[in-house]
Amino acid sequence: MRKKNLSNGIVLLSLALITLFTGCYPHDETSVTDWDLSISIKNPDFNDYGAIQSYYLFPYVEHGDKENPSKKFDDEIIDAVQRNLSELGWSSSTNPENADVVITCSALNTDVYSYWQSYWYPAWNDYYYDYIPYYPWGVMSGISYDYTEGTVAIQMNYVGDEVNVEPGVVTQAPVIWLGLIDGLLNDTQTSISTRIKTGIDQCFNDAPYLKGE
Amino acid sequence: MKKYSIILVLAIASLQLNAQERLWKVNWDMNAPVGQTAEFIDNYSFRGFSIEGNWFVVDHLSLGINFSWGLFYENTGKISENIANNNAVVTGTQKRYNNFTPIMFNAKYHFGDWPVRPYIGFGFGPAWNETVKNIGLYQVYNKNWLFAIAPEVGILIPFIDNFGLNLSAKYQQGFWKDGQDLQTFTISVGFVFGDL
């Protein structure tokens, strides 16, 4: 009897510990800005960033192949890129043929829908799928979420001269820098606008070599 | 004849004692990352537990198995990270997780039959290690089985014949050839059941 009580005690304590610690898996309070991402990529084969003096910025935003894309943030995108290019000390050119680099902005919205299923007994998923509501743990049967992901890309092509980006290969107008910002669009318009500007600023801040540094 | 009888009785009693002597431990594990683990997540963790069984094979010496789980977590806030041979910079809020589940076979030497029983031990075995980095809407993860070792010191404090308190400290080192090693310093506080 004493051994049985001992075993029961160990099992109960173990289950209590497992429940306690797996139940407090960490999840912070999350704000929408926690999902924002800025990426700044340079061309490792191009090392003449300091020689760039002029740029041409296409005055519109490409919107991929989505029908009727939202263009309500296009002006903010162009303005923010223009401001950052000016702060680099480069002069704006009205003709792409006279500029050292040309910059193209593009934007993409992606609707994401996911359904996450969780069952008490994973091995029973298929068999019990239809019966889950009848079980007490049926309330755990799934969480659905959907969101819209927005991505802005800023592409910089060098058009100053024919450039050797690989030994023996001459490539015209290579991409020498790419700035990407990504985040959720499930937010207020004012907040999205601010986050886009912050993200574009961050891309340029993360590329000090554009200033020749 | 009497002499041999006494030895025989003692030997049988000893065998029965060894066969019966076992300890079960249920612990709350508090982990501190060190080394490469601390480079990934530099936060202490109070999320961990372990369950262990020890069987005495001869006096003072036990063999056993320990199953444990621990989790490190860190919200880095907004940070910039160089990737791709410093050709790209990624800036965003990172939420980093490190789950680890070592399954250690161990040997322990228990000192004396004092009111408290100190012990030293050494464990080895496989350890499941999973590192996850959530950044923006993306996730980077690595997961693998590692070979791990764990030297340990501890003390058993009996309350009654078959129940007491276990306190121990151990260093866990999991070796990952192509990734981040698992390196933790662990304090365990728990209950011990069995033949104390």
Side-chain angles (χ1 to χ4, degrees), chain B residues 11-28:
Chain B
I12 291 170
S14 171
L15 280 173
Q16 285 179 337
L17 185 67
N18 287 335
Q20 288 178 353
E21 278 193 351
R22 57 178 178 249
L23 300 173
W24 290 99
K25 297 169 189 164
V26 180
N27 297 311
W28 173 29

Side-chain angles (χ1 to χ4, degrees), chain A residues 14-15 51 53 73 78 136 191 209:
Chain A
S14 305
L15 285 174
Q53 294 181 338
F73 300 111
I78 295 296
S191 176
Y209 45 85

Side-chain angles (χ1 to χ4, degrees), chain A residues 1-212:
Chain A
M1 178 61 83
R2 187 171 137 186
K3 295 283 181 193
K4 193 175 178 184
N5 287 340
L6 182 65
S7 302
N8 288 344
I10 294 167
V11 169
L12 283 173
L13 252 176
S14 305
L15 285 174
L17 274 171
I18 292 166
T19 306
L20 177 68
F21 289 110
T22 54
C24 62
Y25 206 85
H27 295 287
D28 287 337
E29 289 292 324
T30 302
S31 80
V32 72
T33 54
D34 287 344
W35 305 100
D36 289 347
L37 190 63
S38 302
I39 306 175
S40 183
I41 307 168
K42 73 175 181 180
N43 185 333
D45 297 314
F46 185 84
N47 295 306
D48 214 10
Y49 293 98
I52 300 169
Q53 294 181 338
S54 59
Y55 69 91
Y56 175 80
L57 172 64
F58 285 97
Y60 53 84
V61 176
E62 298 276 0
H63 282 276
D65 55 359
K66 191 173 183 179
E67 291 182 12
N68 302 316
S70 169
K71 297 186 175 182
K72 54 190 172 188
F73 300 111
D74 286 12
D75 289 344
E76 277 98 336
I77 292 170
I78 295 296
D79 288 348
V81 173
Q82 181 97 49
R83 175 170 46 78
N84 277 282
L85 290 169
S86 298
E87 288 173 2
L88 291 173
W90 299 350
S91 60
S92 175
S93 173
T94 54
N95 185 346
E97 293 181 1
N98 297 331
D100 293 329
V101 293
V102 294
I103 290 100
T104 314
C105 299
S106 53
L108 185 67
N109 301 345
T110 310
D111 296 321
V112 180
Y113 176 78
S114 293
Y115 184 70
W116 178 72
Q117 292 182 339
S118 171
Y119 299 98
W120 193 258
Y121 298 104
W124 292 2
N125 278 2
D126 296 336
Y127 186 75
Y128 281 95
Y129 179 79
D130 293 328
Y131 302 94
I132 286 292
Y134 297 101
Y135 284 80
W137 50 85
V139 293
M140 301 173 62
S141 63
I143 297 170
S144 66
Y145 58 92
D146 62 300
Y147 60 86
T148 305
E149 180 181 355
T151 306
V152 174
I154 309 156
Q155 179 178 311
M156 184 182 295
N157 291 71
Y158 187 76
V159 292
D161 291 305
E162 291 183 341
V163 181
N164 284 305
V165 293
E166 289 177 34
V169 178
V170 176
T171 306
Q172 292 195 12
V175 177
I176 60 166
W177 182 76
L178 194 61
L180 295 167
I181 67 169
D182 186 89
L184 292 174
L185 292 181
N186 305 69
D187 197 6
T188 64
Q189 188 160 336
T190 307
S191 176
I192 292 171
S193 178
T194 304
R195 288 164 50 216
I196 287 174
K197 290 175 199 167
T198 304
I200 291 172
D201 291 349
Q202 187 67 51
C203 284
F204 280 92
N205 286 340
D206 288 340
Y209 45 85
L210 292 177
K211 292 180 183 174

Side-chain angles (χ1 to χ4, degrees), chain B residues 16-93:
Chain B
Q16 285 179 337
L17 185 67
N18 287 335
Q20 288 178 353
E21 278 193 351
R22 57 178 178 249
L23 300 173
W24 290 99
K25 297 169 189 164
V26 180
N27 297 311
W28 173 29
D29 288 356
M30 292 158 276
N31 295 290
V34 293
Q36 292 184 19
T37 301
E39 288 173 16
F40 182 61
I41 295 176
D42 198 14
N43 278 346
Y44 298 112
S45 170
F46 295 97
R47 295 180 179 92
F49 72 88
S50 60
I51 302 166
E52 181 172 317
N54 301 125
W55 291 265
F56 283 85
V57 288
V58 294
D59 282 347
H60 302 295
L61 183 66
S62 69
L63 298 179
I65 186 167
N66 176 296
F67 171 85
S68 66
W69 172 78
L71 170 67
F72 291 117
Y73 170 72
E74 182 175 12
N75 181 337
T76 64
K78 187 177 177 182
I79 61 169
S80 296
E81 183 177 3
N82 286 296
I83 60 170
N85 296 322
N86 293 327
N87 289 314
V89 178
V90 179
T91 300
T93 298

Side-chain angles (χ1 to χ4, degrees), chain B residues 10 28 50 56 82 112 135 139 146 175 186 191 193:
Chain B
L10 286 175
W28 173 29
S50 60
F56 283 85
N82 286 296
I135 175 167
Q139 185 176 76
L146 318 181
F175 302 95
T186 304
F191 296 115
F193 308 83

Side-chain angles (χ1 to χ4, degrees), chain B residues 119-169:
Chain B
Y119 61 87
I120 57 171
F122 184 83
F124 69 94
W128 176 252
N129 193 47
E130 182 180 79
T131 61
V132 178
K133 186 189 290 183
N134 290 329
I135 175 167
L137 295 167
Y138 299 90
Q139 185 176 76
V140 181
Y141 67 85
N142 288 293
K143 46 190 177 181
N144 210 345
W145 283 102
L146 318 181
F147 173 75
I149 58 171
E152 179 179 9
V153 295
I155 191 167
L156 302 177
I157 306 171
F159 295 149
I160 54 176
D161 281 350
N162 60 356
F163 180 67
L165 183 70
N166 175 57
L167 298 171
S168 74

